[in-house]
Amino acid sequence: MLAIGAGALSLVVLALVMRLGGALSETAAPGLSQAGVLTKTGLTTARLGGNAAAVLTVGWLLVAAVFARPPSPIARRCVRAASLTALLWALCTLALIVFTALDLFGTGVGGLTGNMMRTLLLELPQGRALLLVLAAAVALSVAASHPRAAGGAGYLLAGALAALLPPLFTGHAANASYHALAVYSLAAHVLGAALWIGGLVALITVGPALRDRLPAIVGRYSTLALASFAVVGISGAANAWVRLGGVNLGSGYGWLVVAKIAALVLLGALGWWHRRATIPALRDGAGARPFLRLGAAEVLAMAATMALATGLSRTPPPENAPDTLDLTALRLGYPMPGPAGPGPYLLDWWLDPLFLVLVVTGAVLYGAGLLRVRDWPWYRAAAWYGGLLAAFLATGSGISRYSMVLFSAHAVQHVLIGVVAPLLLLYGAPLRLAVRAMREENAQLVAAAGRSRGVRLLCHPAAATVLFLLSLYGFSVSPLFPPSLSNHALHTLAMLAFLVIGLAYFRGTAGTPVPFAVLPLHAVAGIALMRDGTVRGSWFEELGRGWGASPLDDQRLGALLLWTVTAALTAAVAAAQAWHGRARYGRGRRSTTRLSASTTVGSYSAAESCLSRSSTAAPRSRSADSPTRSS
């Protein structure tokens, strides 16, 4: 009954939004085609179905991986349900691909040809993104149907969340001014909503089977829901501000945003009532019925809000006047900066939204851990916050602004985010602090994630070294480099990948001779990049920069900085680790020698000491006091 009601309500809301928002109008809007009403309706309905199936898949896997935890039978049920919803997600995505082709080429089903589908799926970013989602949904469905899939529910959850992201990098947000903020605010909005809505639907479905565990699980989910509510609200406001350029109620898009805000306020009120009434009732033994009733009402409100958001994605936003557009600023995401130098690098700030959130979150969580673990070494905390500062300078200072304009600035950013920050962050030992500061169940979850098979494989010295060298020198000559420059959001993802690879490399090779062994490879790869006579990626040449060195000379300077600074830092760290290891080994040998000498010279006193320690555990017998036993 709940599923039927939610489906009917979402379809009614979707029809109203499409009608009132102008998605069915005959006037063409930028980025939206002039296809017929049937095609537009089918496309939007398929998108709504895909969104709902994706959210349900995330919810089932969230309960299986975090709340029910394998080998629980409920976890296995949730994974099997995720297999079915992932299959539905794949079918809706396949329908969305067909309707997108009809919408793009303005033809009927009978006029759709293989060349049209090939053009969409292989040559257009939107089609490639949908193809990735289709492949991911099929893979999730097959993997979740395996009998032992419950043990890997965490990996399946990460894959489901990642499969939500590809279309976000090809929509209107990716082409807007300040597109990094638009894309990542939309990504945070989608991920937060998926965890919030999917988790609630899954908990309501399996709630009666959880019985005595339901109060504790609902309490933990409530914390996640509160965080998701905050993320959805803040990211939605940021994305609407970018799209509308401020408060703009003179368009249908603006009024739909207002309606979405009202729906979010309603959901926040329902969540507050959950925390105030139903969760205490669960803990007091009142049964699950009050939670299920209020949760069902919240699911209906969520279904209507999801339909409103889907219709909003097909509603044309207000257009900018043609004479107000700066093409260079539109490509960069900000106006072209002036000549580079120490002053602009330090003062001409450009905050990256993703790393700003990561740095602030890391600082707050580590500080909360320090408040609980009072005997934590100060130098660990100093290293952690130093690593956060390095990441912040790389992605928020003038280095971030100039990294899209100069290859040398890109190299400095790469060294800071991929070498300096990982070294300092690892020395801060955040996982160890988290395990000591958290409650037992959450600490076990964090410890299990740190010991997982995927982390061990990523941190294997061979795999980590190959990835580290490829990220430093292979990325700039790969086909991924030009897209990462033309799209600031992809550029930020590349920086995040460099940070993760740096963490894996320095963790996996700590105390091994691998950093010394690969020093010649740094020199060979760096010198080869310096001697390359081709400007990697036509981006730097097409910007039309009128100051500073030529793009080729700047690339050579960047390659020099990249390999020399990286080689020097890794060699220094490896030497320090080797010296520290020898010093510890020497101290261990000296302490062993002193112990052996003291035992030889004073064996009688040592034996007496041993006997006195053993006497605290059990009373000594008569024979224990004999001269033979003492000697």
Side-chain angles (χ1 to χ4, degrees):
M1 292 297 294
L2 179 61
I4 293 173
L9 180 60
S10 61
L11 290 177
V12 170
V13 172
L14 181 63
L16 290 174
V17 170
M18 292 182 64
R19 178 63 179 173
L20 300 177
L24 299 178
S25 63
E26 297 296 331
T27 305
L32 302 177
S33 78
Q34 303 183 57
V37 174
L38 181 61
T39 298
K40 292 180 178 180
T41 304
L43 190 151
T44 310
T45 305
R47 179 169 295 176
L48 176 61
N51 291 342
V55 165
L56 291 176
T57 303
V58 170
W60 291 123
L61 295 175
L62 174 67
V63 172
V66 178
F67 298 123
R69 301 288 300 277
S72 168
I74 298 176
R76 291 195 292 270
R77 285 178 52 192
C78 290
V79 172
R80 288 197 299 269
S83 175
L84 297 177
T85 54
L87 179 60
L88 178 60
W89 186 7
L91 294 176
C92 290
T93 304
L94 184 60
L96 182 59
I97 290 173
V98 175
F99 280 112
T100 300
L102 299 178
D103 185 43
L104 177 65
F105 296 105
T107 183
V109 178
L112 193 62
T113 64
N115 288 331
M116 293 179 182
M117 295 298 296
R118 190 180 304 110
T119 301
L120 171 65
L121 297 177
L122 299 181
E123 299 181 14
L124 298 180
Q126 184 180 9
R128 290 197 294 265
L130 291 176
L131 188 60
L132 284 175
V133 174
L134 177 62
V138 172
L140 284 170
S141 180
V142 173
S145 64
H146 193 274
R148 300 177 61 183
Y155 295 109
L156 295 177
L157 175 61
L161 292 174
L164 295 170
L165 299 179
L168 307 182
F169 290 88
T170 61
H172 297 298
N175 300 319
S177 299
Y178 304 97
H179 43 77
L181 177 59
V183 168
Y184 283 112
S185 61
L186 184 59
H189 195 75
V190 169
L191 295 179
L195 292 171
W196 182 16
I197 300 173
L200 181 61
V201 173
L203 280 181
I204 289 176
T205 306
V206 302
L210 293 171
R211 296 185 179 87
D212 296 337
R213 298 176 56 194
L214 187 61
I217 290 176
V218 170
R220 294 175 62 198
Y221 166 77
S222 179
T223 303
L224 174 64
L226 180 60
S228 299
F229 172 77
V231 169
V232 168
I234 295 172
S235 60
N239 192 266
W241 188 272
V242 171
R243 300 285 189 93
L244 296 174
V247 179
N248 187 345
L249 300 180
S251 63
Y253 191 93
W255 283 108
L256 290 178
V257 170
V258 172
K260 193 175 177 184
I261 293 174
L264 184 64
V265 171
L266 174 62
L267 289 173
L270 291 174
W272 173 81
W273 187 255
H274 264 302
R275 298 177 70 89
R276 178 182 175 86
T278 60
I279 295 179
L282 276 174
R283 291 171 179 167
D284 294 339
R289 188 175 296 274
F291 166 73
L292 297 179
R293 281 202 303 263
L294 187 58
E298 192 172 0
V299 167
L300 292 176
M302 287 176 170
T305 307
M306 183 182 296
L308 177 60
T310 304
L312 188 63
S313 66
R314 291 292 301 171
T315 302
E319 298 183 36
N320 294 320
D323 54 351
T324 62
L325 295 178
D326 184 350
L327 295 181
T328 302
L330 191 62
R331 298 183 67 191
L332 281 174
Y334 47 82
M336 170 69 75
Y345 278 157
L346 293 176
L347 302 176
D348 198 4
W349 287 72
W350 178 258
L351 298 176
D352 184 275
L354 177 61
F355 273 94
L356 177 62
V357 172
L358 292 178
V359 168
V360 171
T361 303
V364 171
L365 293 180
Y366 200 91
L370 292 178
L371 292 177
R372 292 191 175 186
V373 183
R374 298 300 180 90
D375 59 341
W376 190 251
W378 66 267
Y379 51 86
R380 298 281 188 188
W384 174 262
Y385 284 104
L388 292 181
L389 179 61
F392 186 61
L393 289 175
T395 59
S397 67
I399 297 173
S400 175
R401 184 184 294 271
Y402 283 90
S403 67
M404 304 287 287
V405 180
L406 296 171
F407 186 88
S408 57
H410 173 81
V412 173
Q413 184 186 49
H414 197 154
V415 171
L416 284 174
I417 201 70
V419 181
V420 178
L423 284 170
L424 295 173
L425 293 175
L426 282 175
Y427 196 70
L431 287 181
R432 193 183 309 170
L433 177 64
V435 169
R436 291 185 58 184
M438 287 181 171
R439 297 176 180 176
E440 182 178 357
E441 189 169 0
N442 293 331
Q444 291 175 357
L445 189 63
V446 171
R451 296 191 305 266
S452 62
R453 185 179 304 173
V455 173
R456 294 200 306 269
L457 178 61
L458 184 63
C459 295
H460 190 277
T465 301
V466 171
L467 290 175
F468 188 66
L469 293 175
L470 288 177
S471 69
L472 285 171
Y473 310 108
F475 179 75
S476 59
V477 299
S478 70
L480 299 175
F481 188 56
S484 72
L485 295 173
S486 60
N487 190 313
H488 201 168
L490 292 178
H491 183 80
T492 308
L493 276 185
M495 292 299 109
L496 182 60
F498 298 156
L499 177 63
V500 173
I501 291 172
L503 291 170
Y505 174 75
F506 289 110
R507 179 184 174 182
T509 61
T512 68
V514 172
F516 287 114
V518 299
L519 282 179
L521 297 180
H522 286 285
V524 171
I527 294 173
L529 186 58
M530 289 174 58
R531 299 184 62 182
D532 189 1
T534 304
V535 178
R536 290 299 167 181
S538 58
W539 172 265
F540 296 113
E541 293 179 317
E542 294 174 354
L543 283 178
R545 173 173 52 86
W547 46 262
S550 66
L552 184 58
D553 292 338
D554 180 71
Q555 178 176 295
R556 289 168 176 166
L557 174 62
L560 177 64
L561 292 172
L562 189 65
W563 80 267
T564 54
V565 176
T566 301
L569 287 175
T570 53
V573 171
Q577 290 176 349
W579 177 83
H580 183 64
R582 286 197 297 270
R584 291 182 62 184
Y585 177 71
R587 288 195 299 268
R589 289 194 61 183
R590 287 193 295 271
S591 63
T592 303
T593 303
R594 288 196 298 268
L595 179 61
S596 177
S598 63
T599 303
T600 303
V601 175
S603 59
Y604 181 80
S605 61
E608 285 294 312
S609 175
C610 179
L611 289 172
S612 64
R613 287 196 301 270
S614 65
S615 66
T616 61
R620 282 184 289 176
S621 62
R622 182 181 302 272
S623 61
D625 295 326
S626 64
T628 306
R629 176 63 182 266
S630 298
S631 62

